[in-house]
Structures are given as structure tokens and as C-alpha cells.
Amino acid sequence: MADLSYYKKIILDNFDKLTKNQKKIAQFLLDHPEEIALSSIENIAEKLNVGKATIVRLAQTLGYKGFLELKTELSNKLRDDLSPTQKFKNALKTHTDKSDFIRTLATNEMNNIQKTIENLDRDQFNKAVRIFVSATNIFTMGLGISSFLAEIASYYLNRVTMRARAFTHGSLTLEEQIISLKKDDALLVISLPPYSYQTIEATETAQYKGVKIVSITDKITSPIAQYCDVVFIAETNNIVFINTVGAILTIIYSLAAGIGLSDRATSLTALSLFEKVESDYGFDIHSDFFK
């Protein structure tokens, strides 16, 4: 199967042969391949103000039987082009043993954070903050590395709300724990490749129960996205097999800060209680170590 760069090439090779509206669609394909892979033909036609037949004819001009075949092929190409194996193969070709890997990885992580910030929809961010502020309880969820990120998210959200906790991975499955959620609760889901089927099923159950869901994932075509009220796309590009987490942590920190600033009374109460607990049952580093 050809990779994404070849897919873009066949569009550009045929670009001059297309009608005005077909060029409009083709340009959208080049600029937003993930959105095309996720959207229906009706949604694309409405968004671009073109006819569905025009979209079908474009697909046929590019060598497909119709839009569905083009969409399926595009989804597969996106998946292959962004796979950890492909990334690692590319890294082996471009980096030598003498490469400054610390600088390379740090620069890569800073680029991930910067791109995530630039692409983050502020209206959606504010919507997520409102969901968490108004929720009776906040739950976080994930499996694999996402489970550790979910626990970090729970820690920070609990510091400003006193009503957040992470789902555990013990005798109960995620779906069994989701059953206890009420309609006025909120759920933060973190889902990264390889996507956990258990996480997806539990999120679908939460949606069915009417729970408001915010997710952090790596791309718009992530299978978790279709069940969520707000989806944050975090750049996780790396030259090795693991997902980087800097951009995800940035979103988590930002959500906690946004909630704290939006509900100052609750946040101040929470911080005061935590300080008292730390004072009563812990120690003060300044008084204990710098007497």
C-alpha cells in the first residue's frame, strides 16, 4: 500500500484536470486528510458547500470507485504513515550514532507542545472547563501509559475541585466501573496508540449513560473521538516506539488551571484543606530542614 506522501502526489498530479469545486475538495483533502477520513460525505459536502456527486466524481478521477473507497484507503494510509514502526524506521535512516539524541528529543518534545498549543481550539477548551466545573464528580480513565496519565490528571484536578479520581485496574473492568457514573458526572479519557478496546467500550457506555466526556488523544481519527463531547489532539511524535507525553501533560496542567480560575471559591477551599492536611500529617520543609 502506498504511503500518505504518494496519496498526496496523485492528487497534485490530477489537480489541473479538476473542476473548480473539485479543486476545492482536493485542496481540503491535502490540508485536512484526517478530517476527510473521519467525516461522512454529507458533512464534507455541507462544510465545503459542494454537491455529494462532485465529491464522488473527484474520487473517481483519482482512481477510486467512489468516496467510500477513497475514505477507507485514506484511513489506512494515515494509520500506516503514523505508525510507531514507520517512525522508528525513518529515525534509523536519518540519525547516526553520533547524533545528539538529548537535544534531538528535547527539540522534538518542544515542537510537539508548540504544535499542540497552536492547534488547540480555545472554544473547545473553555467548553471542557465548563463541563468539569459543573460536574458533580470527575473521573479519569486510561490503560497502559494512559493509565499513569489519567492518575496524574486525577491528582491535579482533585487539587482544585476535591471531587476527581482515577478509575483503578483491579478486579473490576473499566466498563463495570463506568456503570456507577451519573448523568451529571464528567469523564476525562486518555487514549493513545495502541488504542485499548476496553477504554473505547467503557467510553461508549459512558456516552450512552449521558455522561459528558472529554478526551485527549493523538489524532482526530482516533476511535475514541466519536464518543466525546470535546476532543483534544496532542502531538505525540517521537523517533522511537513510545508516545511522548509532554503535550498531553500541558493540556492536563492547562485544564486544572482553567478550572481553578473559573471556580476560584472551590479551588481556594481545596488548596486550604490540602495545606492543612499536609501541615497536620506531613511536614513543612522550611521549618523542618531550615531551622
Side-chain angles (χ1 to χ4, degrees):
M1 179 181 291
D3 63 15
L4 187 59
S5 62
Y6 177 75
Y7 173 79
K8 292 181 177 180
K9 183 177 182 301
I10 64 171
I11 293 178
L12 293 174
D13 287 345
N14 289 278
F15 202 72
D16 292 337
K17 305 174 186 177
L18 305 178
T19 65
K20 182 179 179 180
N21 278 343
Q22 287 176 338
K23 286 182 179 180
K24 183 179 181 180
I25 302 165
Q27 187 61 57
F28 188 78
L29 278 167
L30 292 174
D31 294 339
H32 307 282
E34 296 90 352
E35 191 165 345
I36 291 292
L38 187 67
S39 302
S40 67
I41 190 171
E42 290 81 9
N43 288 340
I44 297 169
E46 181 180 357
K47 183 166 188 173
L48 299 180
N49 195 26
V50 298
K52 291 188 291 184
T54 306
I55 299 176
V56 173
R57 283 194 293 271
L58 170 65
Q60 293 171 340
T61 301
L62 297 177
Y64 298 92
K65 293 179 181 179
F67 174 75
L68 182 59
E69 186 179 15
L70 182 152
K71 177 179 176 178
T72 302
E73 181 75 356
L74 176 59
S75 297
N76 291 334
K77 287 174 182 176
L78 284 169
R79 182 192 63 214
D80 294 342
D81 193 59
L82 298 174
S83 69
T85 301
Q86 188 61 47
K87 291 178 187 176
F88 191 61
K89 287 180 179 178
N90 292 338
L92 292 176
K93 294 176 183 178
T94 56
H95 295 278
T96 67
D97 292 338
K98 297 181 180 179
S99 296
D100 185 350
F101 281 107
I102 293 178
R103 184 178 298 277
T104 298
L105 292 172
T107 300
N108 178 80
E109 190 71 318
M110 288 188 288
N111 289 337
N112 284 340
I113 294 172
Q114 184 63 37
K115 189 172 181 181
T116 297
I117 293 171
E118 290 174 354
N119 294 332
L120 191 144
D121 187 318
R122 271 32 177 198
D123 290 336
Q124 289 296 297
F125 178 84
N126 292 334
K127 179 180 178 180
V129 169
R130 289 194 299 271
I131 287 173
F132 290 132
V133 168
S134 62
T136 300
N137 297 290
I138 302 170
F139 297 89
T140 64
M141 179 175 73
L143 284 177
I145 190 173
S146 298
S147 69
F148 298 106
L149 293 168
E151 290 183 6
I152 292 173
S154 174
Y155 172 82
Y156 280 106
L157 296 179
N158 199 53
R159 300 289 288 193
V160 294
T161 67
M162 299 185 295
R163 57 181 190 277
R165 70 178 180 87
F167 282 129
T168 59
H169 310 292
S171 58
L172 295 177
T173 66
L174 293 179
E175 194 168 11
E176 287 172 327
Q177 294 176 76
I178 284 287
I179 293 174
S180 65
L181 267 64
K182 303 294 190 296
K183 194 173 182 178
D184 53 0
D185 292 332
L187 178 65
L188 174 63
V189 184
I190 302 174
S191 180
L192 301 172
Y195 305 113
S196 163
Y197 187 67
Q198 186 180 149
T199 302
I200 297 168
E201 279 193 326
T203 305
E204 184 178 9
T205 300
Q207 183 200 45
Y208 177 78
K209 290 175 65 65
V211 175
K212 294 295 184 183
I213 306 170
V214 176
S215 68
I216 303 175
T217 187
D218 65 319
K219 53 181 178 285
I220 198 170
T221 53
S222 167
I224 208 76
Q226 60 186 309
Y227 303 114
C228 302
D229 298 280
V230 177
V231 180
F232 292 118
I233 306 300
E235 292 292 325
T236 60
N237 293 322
N238 202 354
I239 66 171
V240 291
F241 284 99
I242 58 175
N243 296 293
T244 63
V245 299
I248 297 170
L249 291 173
T250 300
I251 294 174
I252 292 171
Y253 299 153
S254 300
L255 285 171
I259 293 167
L261 292 172
S262 296
D263 189 1
R264 294 171 186 264
T266 300
S267 299
L268 289 172
T269 300
L271 292 173
S272 297
L273 287 173
F274 282 120
E275 286 180 355
K276 186 177 187 306
V277 169
E278 289 170 355
S279 175
D280 291 346
Y281 300 100
F283 61 85
D284 187 327
I285 191 170
H286 297 287
S287 61
D288 289 355
F289 285 87
F290 298 100
K291 293 178 179 179

